[in-house]
Amino acid sequence: MKKNRWLMALAAVGVHICIGSVYAWSVYVNPIQEQMKWDLTDVTIAFSIAIFFLGLSAALMGKFVEKNGPRVSATIAAFAFGIGTAGSGLAILMESKLLLYFFYGVLGGCGLGIGYISPVSTLVKWFPDKRGLATGLAIMGFGFASAISGPAIKLLIGSVGIANTFFILGSVYFIVIFISAMYLQAPKEGYMPKKFKKKIKEGKKKIKKDLSSMGLNEAIKTPRFYGLWIMLFINVTCGIAIIGVASPLLEEVMGITALAAAAAVGLMGVFNGLGRIFWASISDFLTRPIVYIIFFATQTVAFYALPNISELILFQVVLYFIMSCYGGGFASIPAYIGDIFGTKELGAIHGYILTAWAAAGLVGPLIISNVKDITGSYSQTLYVFSGFFCIALVVSISMLLNIKKLKKQLED
């Protein structure tokens, strides 16, 4: 059967929009606490384990994804995430924290990691002319997922209870991911769309050659791999931090009500999703190194300025811009990997770089709590993160210079 690359992108969105529901975990928190009489830490641990296993499985299964293809790996993700979610319902019925940690945290987390990387390297190969747009589309699905699953979870819990909500959603996630997996397939070696091929023949377009064609073992020996890791780590650390303190920050700095702050936080999720497709698409034209320099240069200023802005509208504009860069950093990284390491083992390299996400999830909240305890203010944490972005800016400029140097050597 002849495959359509835009349907391939839709299948990738199908996978990501299901696994991205992990970001709606907070909707479960209060109902589980009330029904199970567990404390907040007990319930939150399930989410933390899931994010940890996302990073771990993405790193360990990257080579498996490349070797066996997106269909096999996304099918495994369907079983792991579907059973993990449905099994969480069993954990609630049995009133077992350990079962919840296993099903939602370990099994569901593995489904998250494998599902996250499964379609990405495939899309890069299907869209040699629009790498950023393609990966941005899929990863946008992950960013927007909580906006769909959050209200659905709330509605279902009110109608059928917590356990049945897990059973229903586990079944839905399995079906959607499984159907999406059946369509996923890597293109033939050297694939190019007809229109793109025609434009190349007419001299209207040029094939952008990758800087190299490396496997994972070669890539991790280069400074460029660690440059990408550090950039993603800092962008995610600071982004997670702002997500975590946005509501109290708005109340502290702007003096608005908790309800108004909650509404603003909801909009942040929208800009997180929009930023993924916007910045990833822009990176096809400006190039990935330039887009990351823009991320870090602008956010250095944004984080430093935020505590000193007294106008509510301007404060929110800056906040939403930061969230767009947070989402854009996730969406642009796979195309950046393809540009400098090629597509030979893109999934494996992407999996290893995603360990920066897992590390950032631990470091970001830790920095916030420590700085808040020392200074007594959320505002002071933003100055610390502005300093982090200065480091990221230096790294991103070094990456650009290193890439230019290597290109010159290749041309000579």
Side-chain angles (χ1 to χ4, degrees), residues 4-60:
N4 180 291
R5 65 181 188 152
W6 293 103
L7 286 177
M8 198 67 62
L10 185 64
V13 172
V15 175
H16 273 239
I17 214 154
C18 289
I19 62 173
S21 64
V22 69
Y23 273 154
W25 174 254
S26 60
V27 182
Y28 287 114
V29 173
N30 285 342
I32 291 175
Q33 274 189 274
E34 288 167 16
Q35 185 173 315
M36 298 291 106
K37 308 302 179 193
W38 297 341
D39 62 34
L40 181 61
T41 304
D42 291 334
V43 183
T44 307
I45 285 172
F47 175 77
S48 299
I49 294 170
I51 296 300
F52 175 76
F53 273 90
L54 185 161
L56 189 68
S57 60
L60 296 178

Side-chain angles (χ1 to χ4, degrees), residues 5 37 39 123 130 150 167 268 285 290 311 320 335 348 358:
R5 65 181 188 152
K37 308 302 179 193
D39 62 34
L123 282 188
K130 295 184 179 77
F167 293 143
M268 283 169 62
F285 301 98
I290 296 296
E311 176 59 48
Y320 299 148

Side-chain angles (χ1 to χ4, degrees), residues 12-333:
V13 172
V15 175
H16 273 239
I17 214 154
C18 289
I19 62 173
S21 64
V22 69
Y23 273 154
W25 174 254
S26 60
V27 182
Y28 287 114
V29 173
N30 285 342
I32 291 175
Q33 274 189 274
E34 288 167 16
Q35 185 173 315
M36 298 291 106
K37 308 302 179 193
W38 297 341
D39 62 34
L40 181 61
T41 304
D42 291 334
V43 183
T44 307
I45 285 172
F47 175 77
S48 299
I49 294 170
I51 296 300
F52 175 76
F53 273 90
L54 185 161
L56 189 68
S57 60
L60 296 178
M61 295 294 286
K63 280 205 168 189
F64 177 89
V65 171
E66 290 299 332
K67 185 181 177 183
N68 296 282
R71 184 179 298 168
V72 172
S73 51
T75 300
I76 292 169
F79 278 98
F81 193 69
I83 294 170
T85 304
S88 302
L90 181 66
I92 296 298
L93 288 179
M94 295 183 71
E95 299 184 5
S96 170
K97 279 182 269 191
L98 287 178
L99 271 183
L100 183 66
Y101 299 158
F102 170 73
F103 279 115
Y104 197 89
V106 179
L107 194 59
C110 288
L112 278 169
I114 301 163
Y116 193 93
I117 61 173
S118 289
V120 173
S121 62
T122 301
L123 282 188
V124 170
K125 292 166 188 171
W126 276 103
F127 289 83
D129 52 332
K130 295 184 179 77
R131 278 182 174 176
L133 171 67
T135 56
L137 275 170
I139 293 171
M140 178 186 68
F142 195 94
F144 272 136
S146 61
I148 299 165
S149 53
I153 291 165
K154 197 168 186 179
L155 190 70
L156 283 168
I157 288 174
S159 304
V160 298
I162 302 167
N164 287 331
T165 296
F166 279 123
F167 293 143
I168 291 165
L169 290 179
S171 304
V172 171
Y173 296 151
F174 172 78
I175 291 164
V176 174
I177 299 173
F178 186 80
I179 290 169
S180 299
M182 291 303 101
Y183 195 80
L184 289 172
Q185 184 182 305
K188 290 179 181 177
E189 190 74 33
Y191 164 82
M192 279 193 289
K194 286 180 182 177
K195 286 182 182 177
F196 187 55
K197 203 182 285 184
K198 189 183 175 185
K199 283 180 180 178
I200 289 168
K201 282 182 180 178
E202 292 170 353
K204 292 177 183 177
K205 290 271 185 182
K206 282 186 178 180
I207 300 172
K208 290 179 184 176
K209 287 187 178 179
D210 297 330
L211 195 64
S212 61
S213 179
M214 291 186 181
L216 174 64
N217 294 335
E218 297 167 288
I220 58 173
K221 292 172 186 173
T222 68
R224 291 177 297 286
F225 174 88
Y226 297 97
L228 289 178
W229 196 97
I230 291 165
M231 291 194 302
L232 185 65
F233 173 75
I234 291 176
N235 199 52
V236 177
T237 298
C238 301
I240 282 176
I242 205 82
I243 289 168
V245 302
S247 187
L249 186 70
L250 278 159
E251 293 174 53
E252 181 186 296
V253 178
M254 304 309 301
I256 65 173
T257 65
L259 189 65
V265 170
L267 266 175
M268 283 169 62
V270 174
F271 282 91
N272 178 359
L274 290 174
R276 292 171 189 242
I277 187 68
F278 173 77
W279 286 112
S281 302
I282 291 292
S283 74
D284 285 330
F285 301 98
L286 296 181
T287 73
R288 257 63 72 173
I290 296 296
V291 162
Y292 274 87
I293 288 170
I294 292 170
F295 283 161
F296 302 134
T298 54
Q299 286 186 97
T300 299
V301 177
F303 269 74
Y304 190 83
L306 209 54
N308 304 302
I309 296 171
S310 56
E311 176 59 48
L312 180 59
I313 299 296
L314 181 59
F315 189 96
Q316 286 180 286
V317 167
V318 174
L319 198 61
Y320 299 148
F321 174 78
I322 288 168
M323 285 316 301
S324 79
C325 292
Y326 170 75
F330 273 119
S332 304
I333 209 87

